[in-house]
Amino acid sequence: MAIAAIRRFTSSPAMWSRSRSACLARSSIRSWTRVGSDMRATSLDADILVVGAGPTGLLLTNLLGSMGIGTILIERNETTVGEPRAVSIDDESMRALQAAGLSSEISAITAKGYGSLYKGPSGRVFAEVKPFVKEYGFDKRNAFEQPEFEATLRRALARHAMVDARFGLALTDFEQTGDHVVAQVLENGKAHQVRARYMVAADGGRSMVRKALGIEMEGSTFEEPWLIVDLETTRNRCFHTEVFCDPKRSAITLPGPGGIRRYEFKLNPGETVEEAEREAFARRLLAEVGPDGDEPIRRQKVYTFHARIASRWREGRVFLAGDAAHLTPPFAGQGMNSGLRDAHNLAWKLAEALAMADPEDLLDSYQTERKPHAWSMIELALRMGKVMMPDSALRGMAIRTGFRLLGLYGPARDYVAQMKYKPKPKFHAGMIQPSAARAGAAAVGRMIPQPLVTRPGREECLLDDCLPDRPVVLVFDEMPDRFVSAELNARFAAAGAAVVGLTPEWINPVAASFPILHDRSRFFSNQPFRGCLAHGLLLRRDRYVAAIEPVATLEKLLPMIERLAAPVTVAKHGTFASEEEPARKRS
């Protein structure tokens, strides 16, 4: 389909801000304006327009819907994907799904907690990665099928009255003004306008929106193509991923839920795409690495992988997310997971921005925080690719010898086996307030662990399930109730934050004027977070630590809360709500 030329309006940074009264002066319409008619919309169709219903767009829309934000999701295809693509979801992404109320449903369709076995040309294992620590509440590696995953997220959209998801629509054009975006879309051959405060482009690696904005991709394209073979059934009983680090031909086998398996083979020089996509070629390679040479093939396709990232992730009121913002080689299983992290980071910032007089710093922090972390995942994939694809027998031998030597030293062995080489979710700049060198300062910018906690009545739950969806002052102390007076609690509440206490594993919680929990899994009670004892940690809605203060000076967290959230006294109308409906407060 020919794409209309994209018009972009730019102006001074001040033009992207709006007053609080403008933010709240909304009327509600569900119908879209037909382009070319005499009727013109007098208000917005939605607060947020999401373009693209892949994993990133679907999670972002579910998160916004759970926050009561009027959101329209459009997707040019008639349905979600029907073929396997991404196959692995990590613990950080499961936590993002938990925030949308979807972790239980997704867990039910995954094979949880698998690892990796690295094998040399002889088939001998020289390194094992079998993480078992659930630092963020979930297994670090889980296998799934993307069609079932996307279908589950799409069905979940029906839970949200403020979400309007439409498939079979193509974005053809858009423009920005100082306070909204106008998008032109085609629906059944008819042109319509969609007007929203902000637009998020989650429209894939070939993003039309990114190209229209003139945003370049930085990085490189791999010259080595890989053949992906997805099987309907498997005779391979290995629970883990198998990585064949053979300079003659690198290969990977990956487990899936329900008795399926994926194989990936690096193509050698001289092997063409046409040749590799013939069934006989795949069957020969399958027989060389295992027992699946005769199993039915579901999909067979050659891919050339990319290691690229967008130079900027925001242009005015338009944001890039997922593959539109970054393309990651598959060797670390982080491509889709990076997109889900984008959605978790951006959703709450857009929700808060709608009720802020000047949200620019908050919105700018999306790129500041996510771009470096996404690039660190790309670099991890590149490093792992070098291990998987030794370019000579000598280099392969050196790699295997190095890993075997590491295995002789316990901490080094755990570094590999527990995936400690994976960059921690931590921000060094953005919507955080770094602290001077003192106890607990290293926690700022980090995603907090998610222990199993106990309430005073002995009920157990994961930490996030006990926290409200707003900033939280988490008072980590043996007696948290001593340090939060009724007056201070009221000041935190007026600023938009809740107070929750957390006791270390050696102290039982007690009933108080605010919830107090017990660190059952001991993630806070051991280093490095034990250094946060006798402190209040200001948690953002995505559960990163924005600031930390000793329990004696908790009121110093108030200015940072004001940067993270609009006061609860500010009405947060949903676009589709009636004008008479009372202002929505955070629960």
Side-chain angles (χ1 to χ4, degrees), residues 254-317:
L254 301 100
I260 61 173
R261 203 162 189 95
R262 166 175 288 184
Y263 287 77
E264 301 178 356
F265 302 96
K266 180 178 175 292
L267 297 187
N268 291 327
E271 294 175 336
T272 66
V273 173
E274 181 182 9
E275 176 187 8
E277 291 185 347
R278 293 174 184 156
E279 183 177 343
F281 186 92
R283 297 222 172 270
R284 175 172 62 84
L285 299 188
L286 288 168
E288 290 176 357
V289 297
D292 284 336
D294 296 324
E295 294 303 297
I297 294 175
R298 180 178 180 181
R299 185 185 68 145
Q300 178 177 347
K301 189 174 180 61
V302 172
Y303 281 93
T304 299
F305 300 128
H306 305 274
R308 311 186 73 188
I309 195 163
S311 58
R312 61 186 191 278
W313 293 27
R314 179 190 181 192
E315 182 77 22
R317 291 180 171 269

Side-chain angles (χ1 to χ4, degrees), residues 302-550:
V302 172
Y303 281 93
T304 299
F305 300 128
H306 305 274
R308 311 186 73 188
I309 195 163
S311 58
R312 61 186 191 278
W313 293 27
R314 179 190 181 192
E315 182 77 22
R317 291 180 171 269
V318 180
F319 299 81
L320 303 181
D323 284 357
H326 44 77
L327 296 169
T328 307
F331 310 123
Q334 290 299 306
M336 183 201 74
N337 289 291
S338 287
L340 298 183
R341 292 187 195 99
D342 295 344
H344 199 195
N345 186 284
L346 185 57
W348 70 271
K349 292 177 179 178
L350 289 171
E352 294 291 353
L354 293 168
M356 284 183 169
D358 184 4
E360 294 310 294
D361 286 346
L362 181 63
L363 295 176
D364 283 342
S365 71
Y366 168 60
Q367 174 179 321
T368 302
E369 295 173 353
R370 283 296 308 134
K371 185 177 179 181
H373 191 263
W375 184 250
S376 72
M377 293 296 106
I378 292 174
E379 291 181 320
L380 173 64
L382 293 173
R383 291 194 298 271
M384 293 183 68
K386 291 179 180 179
V387 174
M388 296 177 185
M389 300 181 292
D391 53 13
S392 69
L394 183 61
R395 181 174 178 81
M397 183 181 297
I399 290 172
R400 295 192 297 275
T401 300
F403 273 97
R404 287 177 179 133
L405 290 173
L406 287 175
L408 299 175
Y409 179 53
R413 183 175 59 249
D414 288 346
Y415 180 81
V416 175
Q418 297 302 319
M419 288 183 66
K420 294 180 180 180
Y421 54 80
K422 179 185 174 186
K424 288 285 187 183
K426 180 177 175 62
F427 303 135
H428 299 282
M431 200 50 56
I432 60 175
Q433 181 177 292
S435 299
R438 65 185 185 194
V444 176
R446 286 187 59 172
M447 179 188 283
I448 61 165
Q450 183 175 202
L452 189 67
V453 296
T454 308
R455 302 176 192 265
R458 297 186 181 181
E459 176 190 357
E460 292 186 346
C461 64
L462 286 173
L463 175 62
D464 289 6
D465 292 334
C466 300
L467 303 181
D469 182 21
R470 52 173 156 159
V472 170
V473 177
L474 186 70
V475 183
F476 182 41
D477 191 78
E478 292 184 342
M479 300 181 183
D481 48 303
R482 294 186 305 170
F483 301 100
V484 183
S485 65
E487 185 270 338
L488 181 57
N489 198 354
R491 291 175 67 190
F492 283 138
V499 176
V500 175
L502 180 67
T503 64
E505 61 86 13
W506 60 87
I507 296 291
N508 280 321
V510 297
S513 60
F514 54 87
I516 298 181
L517 310 170
H518 172 237
D519 180 16
R520 177 75 173 80
S521 297
R522 305 187 180 188
F523 284 125
F524 279 85
S525 303
N526 296 319
Q527 294 298 354
F529 274 87
R530 183 164 179 167
C532 298
L533 190 65
H535 285 75
L537 293 85
L538 175 57
L539 309 182
R540 310 179 337 173
R541 292 174 72 173
D542 57 1
R543 305 317 175 203
Y544 281 78
V545 180
I548 187 169
E549 278 292 330

